[in-house]
Amino acid sequence: MNWISVPNQLYLTLFMVSFSFFCKSLPSIVPVKEHKQQSISSDGIIRSFRYYIPKQFKEDKLPVIFILHGGGGSGEGMIYLSRMSEKAEEYGFIAVYPDGYANRWNDGRKIPHSLTDKRNTKDVDFFRDMVRHLDSEYPIDHNRIHAVGISNGGFMTQRLLCEAPDLFSSGYSVAAVTSRGLKEICYPPPQKSIGFIMGMSDDVVPYQGGTVSIPTDPNNQSQRIAAGDVLSYLESLEYWTSSLSCKEESKSKRRHLNKFWKRDIQYTKFTDCSSDQIVEGYLIPGGGHIWPNGFYYQNEKQYGYLSKDLDTREIVIQFFRTTYKKDKLVNNNAPFGN
């Protein structure tokens, strides 16, 4: 054997082993092809969304969770990032992945360079239209309609709670606080259950408040565009609890999933004394602009690392299981809500 081929063979062996390990470490994801794709007309625009119906369910009516992408993203990208369809099969709910107009949501920040903000798209109406479409095809539970989103989708989730409180039971914002634009159009806020997950090292949405800054080029993080002013993480919690009749606050530290980088996650919870409304938040030291434990994506074809701070899917789903419209439920034994 030629001595030059030995290291080459060794390198090939090591590469195959490492590649095999990487493949085995990839998360399980329900393929996009197993999702239904639909286009509907809303406010004179053809809008699209994907959704997943669990193959087996015993419910007479299915809960619905909308999963909203961030600015520049897509519904398809959120299928990979969130992996919520896998949980939809486990818990028995419809997972919906809508596409924003020009890949953005009109969340109330009035961003000058955003096409959807310039057009002032009626995104809240789009969600009502999606619910009507789903309701015409499947037996959905109107007492259990929820929304969760990341970044621009997280801001939009809050606008949905503000302007469609009759439709949505609760929501969750990931890598997003409350924008000053939303506070101007929605004050006081409705009494709604909402949760937040924020990283203290988020370089896009500052957890201490200020101006959102979006990179103009993924390869050059120094070039950024201002994208609206936001409240701080704590101010956002105060805003959403300001309408609670009497709030009780509790604080604790939560365990992280990362075994090698130990850091305590700060958990804050507010409960209304006279109702079932809950406002909670997870603040991650060192956390960035991510969906924790999500399969991070940069574009349609590039998928990256799994962040191991906490399991966003389980946190969000368990929150939704306890924040539905209990006073109007017909079947109080439905497993998704217990």
Side-chain angles (χ1 to χ4, degrees):
M1 180 182 293
N2 190 313
W3 69 274
I4 297 179
S5 65
V6 174
N8 289 339
Q9 184 178 10
L10 178 61
Y11 173 80
L12 179 61
T13 302
L14 290 175
F15 174 79
M16 292 179 66
V17 171
S18 62
F19 182 77
S20 175
F21 174 80
F22 176 75
C23 288
K24 290 180 180 178
S25 65
L26 292 179
S28 57
I29 298 174
V30 177
V32 172
K33 64 181 181 181
E34 293 188 18
H35 294 70
K36 297 180 183 295
Q37 187 170 8
Q38 185 67 46
S39 295
I40 59 175
S41 176
S42 181
D43 188 31
I45 309 174
I46 300 300
R47 305 293 297 266
S48 60
F49 60 97
R50 287 180 168 86
Y51 59 96
Y52 181 78
I53 305 295
K55 295 181 176 62
Q56 297 181 350
F57 55 90
K58 299 179 181 179
E59 291 270 11
D60 293 332
K61 295 184 177 181
L62 290 173
V64 179
I65 298 181
F66 287 93
I67 303 101
L68 283 62
H69 63 75
S74 67
E76 179 180 350
M78 283 304 289
I79 293 175
Y80 288 97
L81 173 65
S82 68
R83 296 175 290 138
M84 286 286 278
S85 297
E86 181 182 329
K87 292 297 182 180
E89 189 65 51
E90 178 182 348
Y91 287 101
F93 62 86
I94 301 175
V96 187
Y97 305 88
D99 294 312
Y101 177 78
N103 302 105
R104 290 195 61 84
W105 301 106
N106 183 13
D107 60 38
R109 281 179 291 163
K110 299 179 181 179
I111 303 174
H113 64 269
S114 168
L115 291 177
T116 187
D117 288 52
K118 288 180 180 179
R119 196 186 189 282
N120 194 24
T121 55
K122 298 180 180 179
D123 284 339
V124 176
D125 289 346
F126 173 42
F127 281 83
R128 291 189 183 277
D129 292 336
M130 283 189 286
V131 170
R132 276 191 285 268
H133 174 81
L134 293 171
D135 200 27
S136 67
E137 300 287 334
Y138 306 95
I140 69 173
D141 190 341
H142 286 265
N143 297 311
R144 303 182 186 195
I145 299 178
H146 314 268
V148 56
I150 182 172
S151 193
N152 177 212
F155 289 117
M156 186 63 208
T157 293
Q158 297 177 59
R159 184 164 194 175
L160 292 174
L161 293 184
C162 275
E163 298 188 354
D166 58 311
L167 185 65
F168 289 91
S169 294
S170 60
Y172 227 100
S173 290
V174 181
V177 285
T178 299
S179 70
R180 295 192 179 278
L182 181 75
K183 186 177 179 180
E184 292 175 0
I185 63 177
C186 180
Y187 194 85
Q191 293 188 17
K192 282 291 177 179
S193 293
I194 186 172
F196 292 87
I197 296 177
M198 272 298 298
M200 296 179 70
S201 296
D202 192 323
D203 63 345
V204 177
V205 179
Y207 93 96
Q208 290 183 318
T211 302
V212 176
S213 59
I214 304 175
T216 57
D217 182 357
N219 299 318
N220 188 352
Q221 296 290 315
S222 62
Q223 297 181 2
R224 291 174 174 258
I225 301 176
D229 295 328
V230 297
L231 304 177
S232 70
Y233 167 78
L234 292 179
E235 288 173 333
S236 299
L237 294 180
E238 292 174 358
Y239 167 76
W240 282 97
T241 58
S242 62
S243 293
L244 301 185
S245 56
C246 57
K247 57 185 179 182
E248 295 180 349
E249 180 182 2
S250 61
K251 294 184 178 181
S252 61
K253 294 181 179 180
R254 296 298 175 94
R255 297 181 62 183
H256 46 77
L257 297 180
N258 194 327
K259 298 179 181 179
F260 304 102
W261 185 6
K262 294 184 177 180
R263 50 191 177 186
D264 292 324
I265 296 172
Q266 302 174 26
Y267 176 70
T268 303
K269 179 180 179 180
F270 293 90
T271 53
D272 193 307
C273 311
S274 59
S275 71
D276 296 317
Q277 305 304 327
I278 299 172
V279 177
E280 69 176 22
Y282 292 82
L283 188 60
I284 307 173
H289 195 67
I290 55 175
W291 176 289
N293 201 38
F295 198 27
Y296 181 80
Y297 71 100
Q298 290 184 355
N299 55 49
E300 188 174 84
K301 297 181 179 179
Q302 185 174 358
Y303 303 92
Y305 62 87
L306 279 164
S307 60
K308 290 287 187 180
D309 294 305
L310 44 79
D311 192 340
T312 302
R313 293 183 304 171
E314 278 298 322
I315 286 175
V316 169
I317 290 173
Q318 297 306 326
F319 183 78
F320 290 162
R321 292 180 76 188
T322 59
T323 56
Y324 54 89
K325 301 173 185 176
K326 302 179 181 67
D327 56 330
K328 297 181 181 179
L329 280 177
V330 176
N331 178 11
N332 289 318
N333 295 318
F336 181 80
N338 289 344

